[in-house]
Amino acid sequence: MTDPTTLPAPAAALAEVKARLAAAAREAGRNPASVHLIAVTKTFGPETILPVLEAGHRLFGENRVQEAKAKWPDLRARYPDIELHLIGPLQSNKTREAVALFDAIHTVDRPKIAKAIADEQQRQGKRLKLFIEVNTGEEPQKAGIPPKETAAFLAHCRDDLGLDIAGLMCIPPVEEEPAVHFAFLAKLAGDLGLAELSMGMSGDFETASELGATYVRVGSAIFGSR
Ligand SMILES: *Cc1c(COP(=O)(O)O)cnc(C)c1O
């Protein structure tokens, strides 16, 4: 095995995050392979991302379409097996670019966006892995479907629009205990028969992993503060 002390900083941090993530999953009796680590690269340039690619990591997340478009086509040309997820809010006028660029979108949060994605997928002959963002804290200013409306929105996305909804995503309120929100999201996904759970960031990915996350979105713990 490579000695982590000889790796560039982001690659060493990646190895540590992976080890902590796997340990947390095992602790909860889960298979560590069922928790995918999305390395969140927003604000970071290719020079910071490359060591992580060279270390073999291929799953990345960005929160803005324009920023991703400026950065990832070049990196993809060098590493064709990169998988890129949109984890930030999507505006309908960016849907065409988003469907072209990303493999998954974690922020399907309203009927208008769901319809725009469906139309673009049809146009481009592409199907993305999609997550419904749930506003688990029911915060008025925050994106996401209210928990009580999630079942009806899921049915609309699937039955009316033919979208591949794989699971649910949440961003807990900053001042609250994330575990409560993760457990709530896991229960909701279970009730709806959805297998994937996108939850957990740098400060709480171990908790998320223990509570059933299948995708954690980790930025600063790998790449440093923004
Ligand atoms: C930036 C971001 C993350 C990663 O946050 P860190 O605290 O840096 O790990 C996760 N999810 C979303 C939606 C983000 O925008």
Side-chain angles (χ1 to χ4, degrees):
M1 252 182 86
T2 322
D3 174 2
T5 59
T6 66
L7 294 171
L14 173 82
E16 196 203 312
V17 167
K18 274 186 172 170
R20 284 169 56 194
L21 189 59
R26 261 186 232 105
E27 189 83 11
R30 302 185 59 213
N31 177 0
S34 65
V35 195
H36 305 284
L37 173 62
I38 302 175
V40 177
T41 47
K42 64 184 184 212
T43 77
F44 293 103
E47 69 290 347
T48 310
I49 302 171
L50 275 168
V52 164
L53 279 162
E54 280 156 14
H57 197 75
R58 293 294 181 268
L59 177 56
F60 295 89
E62 285 281 346
N63 73 332
R64 289 169 191 270
V65 176
Q66 287 316 108
E67 185 184 342
K69 201 183 158 196
K71 210 180 320 185
W72 285 96
D74 283 352
L75 292 168
R76 264 215 170 114
R78 297 171 67 175
Y79 296 92
D81 55 342
I82 281 170
E83 189 179 319
L84 192 59
H85 290 211
L86 178 65
I87 61 167
L90 178 59
Q91 291 155 341
S92 51
N93 64 354
K94 297 274 162 48
T95 311
R96 182 157 300 177
E97 290 169 312
V99 168
L101 193 58
F102 291 95
D103 302 294
I105 296 175
H106 290 233
T107 48
V108 182
D109 63 354
R110 57 197 192 279
K112 188 182 175 190
I113 273 301
K115 173 77 167 81
I117 292 171
D119 290 348
E120 267 314 311
Q121 289 198 146
Q122 183 111 39
R123 219 184 65 90
Q124 299 183 29
K126 199 177 166 188
R127 296 185 77 82
L128 277 64
K129 183 173 206 167
L130 301 170
F131 296 76
I132 293 173
E133 180 174 358
V134 181
N135 186 356
T136 58
E138 307 204 47
E139 297 170 279
Q141 78 292 358
K142 201 142 171 185
I145 297 284
K148 284 190 191 69
E149 293 169 25
T150 307
F153 183 62
L154 171 66
H156 171 63
C157 287
R158 280 184 168 164
D159 305 340
D160 304 335
L161 301 173
L163 296 178
D164 295 329
I165 303 292
L168 303 180
M169 177 270 209
C170 78
I171 306 171
V174 278
E175 68 289 357
E176 287 181 29
E177 186 54 61
V180 175
H181 293 269
F182 297 159
F184 179 83
L185 195 73
K187 169 78 166 62
L188 185 57
D191 290 347
L192 297 173
L194 291 168
E196 309 288 359
L197 278 172
S198 167
M199 57 190 199
M201 311 185 1
S202 288
D204 51 26
F205 65 85
E206 286 158 304
T207 306
S209 173
E210 284 162 17
L211 290 169
T214 60
Y215 287 89
V216 294
R217 312 176 307 264
V218 179
S220 50
I222 299 170
F223 299 105
S225 55
R226 291 181 291 269

